[in-house]
Amino acid sequence: MTIATFFHLSLMLLLSLNARGLRREEKVNAVIFQSHFDILCLQETKWGISQEKEMSHKWKGKMFSSTSSTQAGGVAIFMREGLFNNCHLIHKDQQGKFIIIDFFYNNISCRLINIHAPNIDTHRKRFFIGLRQWIVTNCIIIGDFNITLTKSDISNNCTFSEDYSRNTLFDITQNSLVDIWRFFHPGKKQFTRKQNWLSNIYILMDQPQEPK
């Protein structure tokens, strides 16, 4: 990816939200229909098949989702109408933990992976290893990673604990993907983690390369 392509893709307004359940009508309206975004990635929708169909019918743009039989998880992607072309599903799991789509944005081919990583570190490590096969050129990974990558990503009151999955995530992203917020704010003691609905959100995009 060239520097020009990287900055071009970074101009997209992507939002990611761990909704912790998205069933009440007022919450659905606030999160989906009243938010400003080009692409919205949700985790823990906790939808059943009927709710998934209802959302797909109401939304005017493209929508993709993965639900689980237990309705305990669920991830979804909402894309604003008229901005993207050739949007199609590549893969989704049966537990509602990740979903992968390909699309074109201003004639640039892109891949978007929306994830909700497991809470247990050993399970999370296997989850990250499984993502490696899906990473391609112009790839964006976004969602709830359930991990902090560096000490700069946590507040001074939090402990930077050991985690089996952290090195695995570094391994699959090293030299190919970059935390876009950290790219624009190197060394800044601030982090992409918020309380309430938003938690441990990282946007990982292809590492920009200078054109040859």
Side-chain angles (χ1 to χ4, degrees):
M1 178 190 289
T2 65
I3 289 289
T5 301
F6 176 81
F7 280 98
H8 188 69
L9 292 180
S10 69
L11 293 176
M12 283 189 295
L13 180 57
L14 289 93
L15 298 184
S16 182
L17 183 71
N18 186 324
R20 297 191 174 94
L22 199 59
R23 298 175 182 175
R24 301 195 317 270
E25 184 175 359
E26 61 270 23
K27 190 172 180 179
V28 169
N29 288 334
V31 171
I32 300 176
F33 295 97
Q34 296 175 13
S35 297
H36 298 285
F37 58 83
D38 297 331
I39 298 177
L40 171 65
C41 294
L42 298 174
Q43 303 87 42
E44 283 197 276
T45 56
K46 299 184 179 181
W47 288 340
I49 298 299
S50 60
Q51 292 167 310
E52 181 183 42
K53 290 182 178 179
E54 182 181 0
M55 289 300 103
S56 179
H57 178 72
K58 288 182 177 180
W59 183 249
K60 294 182 179 179
K62 292 287 185 179
M63 175 198 146
F64 304 88
S65 68
S66 172
T67 60
S68 66
S69 58
T70 62
Q71 296 185 22
V75 291
I77 299 173
F78 290 81
M79 309 181 77
R80 188 68 64 186
E81 186 178 22
L83 293 180
F84 309 98
N85 297 314
N86 299 329
C87 308
H88 58 279
L89 176 69
I90 298 299
H91 185 72
K92 63 180 180 179
D93 71 335
Q94 300 301 313
Q95 291 75 45
K97 286 294 185 180
F98 73 97
I99 188 168
I100 304 170
I101 66 169
D102 282 354
F103 62 95
F104 276 81
Y105 176 67
N106 287 344
N107 297 320
I108 299 174
S109 176
C110 306
R111 172 161 293 181
L112 176 63
I113 305 176
N114 178 23
I115 72 169
H116 181 207
N119 292 319
I120 301 174
D121 54 359
T122 52
H123 296 178
R124 189 163 53 247
K125 179 178 180 178
R126 291 195 295 270
F127 179 84
F128 289 151
I129 291 173
L131 288 181
R132 189 194 302 270
Q133 63 179 310
W134 302 107
I135 297 175
V136 298
T137 302
N138 297 345
C139 183
I140 302 169
I141 307 177
I142 189 171
D144 189 338
F145 286 64
N146 264 316
I147 188 175
T148 50
L149 290 180
T150 69
K151 292 181 179 180
S152 296
D153 295 316
I154 61 174
S155 67
N156 293 328
N157 296 324
C158 295
T159 301
F160 188 69
S161 58
E162 293 295 327
D163 193 296
Y164 290 109
S165 65
R166 183 178 292 113
N167 286 339
T168 303
L169 183 57
F170 277 128
D171 287 343
I172 69 172
T173 60
Q174 190 175 20
N175 299 323
S176 61
L177 293 165
V178 62
D179 181 344
I180 190 171
W181 193 93
R182 185 60 63 196
F183 178 81
F184 287 114
H185 304 86
K188 188 173 183 179
K189 187 62 177 179
Q190 198 169 351
F191 42 93
T192 50
R193 183 183 185 279
K194 301 288 185 181
Q195 292 299 326
N196 299 324
W197 293 345
L198 191 64
S199 61
N200 292 63
I201 304 302
Y202 299 94
I203 302 176
L204 300 174
M205 296 182 68
D206 281 289
Q207 177 71 49
Q209 304 293 330
E210 292 289 353
K212 297 180 180 180

